Amino acid sequence: MDFEEYLELQSETFAQLYRCLPISPLNADDNGGNRVIMPQSALDRLGYLHIEYPMQFQIQNANTLQASHCGVLEFTADEGFVHIPAMMMEHLGLKESDLVLLQSTSLPRATFVKLRPHTNRFFNVSDKKYLLEHSLSKYVCLTTGETIAVTATAATREGTYYLDVVETRPANAVCTIETDCEVEFELALAHAHPVAELGAAMQVEDDAPARFTGAAMRMDGKPVEEEAKKAMTPSSAAADARPKTGLQFGPSVPANSVNEDDGGKRFTGKKHSLYD
């Protein structure tokens, strides 16, 4: 957007450009969640606007225009800067000191979310309901197409799991605070890899180059007959139109050269004896 559009947007709602920084220097717990840290001036300004709680913002990479949604953790950042969780910076393609646009918004309450775990290990979690309820408290909202991290408590020692947000209802971005939401899981992302690898292997097998395509050689150094070469090639069967129903000794005789008047007799040559 140009500067005039930016000023007009500011007059209607909260909209502010900030330089982004990682959240980890101010908040040691940077393991999932989508709450950012904003400066005190943002809170002062938001106080004059009719903002719904919990506060929700659209966050956008000012260069690529890629967007997601977030909440706010606190207002302790230096003026002109916003601290963002590492996963959100990666999702938006942001580097330190890149410009981001934060704009206040109001999202509908989530009624349905479809998630896709990255590994099958997630399905071995003993209490998925508790894990999601505990971890999603760090997320004010969910946006279709992003990846979230859910982390088990230290007592369970079950680690961190990554899930893609495949679908959200009733909109592509929804609020997850104080709502009853149905959750559905797709097959794990890693589950499709063996199938893809098998398909690739089959394709390689189908496209494999022909083997043993070099010139034929004899052990005694004599030249190889042309007919023998033809017999070694896959196309020899199609190239040789003679019947393959028996062996043929001596000169070639066409199959239709037998005189029907002779009753079709074979082996009509002269008779010889070893005693003559």
Side-chain angles (χ1 to χ4, degrees), residues 163-184:
L163 301 96
D164 297 331
V165 182
V166 178
E167 181 183 354
T168 57
R169 299 176 193 166
N172 288 335
V174 293
C175 177
T176 56
I177 302 298
E178 297 178 358
T179 182
D180 291 328
C181 180
E182 178 185 355
V183 178
E184 182 177 302

Side-chain angles (χ1 to χ4, degrees), residues 104-176:
S104 60
T105 187
S106 179
L107 300 174
R109 305 284 178 176
T111 59
F112 173 85
V113 174
K114 181 183 290 186
L115 302 173
R116 177 174 56 212
H118 282 200
T119 66
N120 285 320
R121 190 168 59 94
F122 174 79
F123 294 111
N124 296 327
V125 174
S126 56
D127 192 346
K128 299 182 188 63
K129 184 176 183 295
Y130 172 78
L131 174 61
L132 289 175
E133 288 178 349
H134 169 74
S135 297
L136 289 181
S137 63
K138 300 179 181 180
Y139 290 87
V140 175
C141 44
L142 293 178
T143 304
T144 299
E146 66 184 4
T147 299
I148 63 173
V150 294
T151 305
T153 60
T156 60
R157 298 180 181 179
E158 291 180 326
T160 299
Y161 306 91
Y162 298 96
L163 301 96
D164 297 331
V165 182
V166 178
E167 181 183 354
T168 57
R169 299 176 193 166
N172 288 335
V174 293
C175 177
T176 56

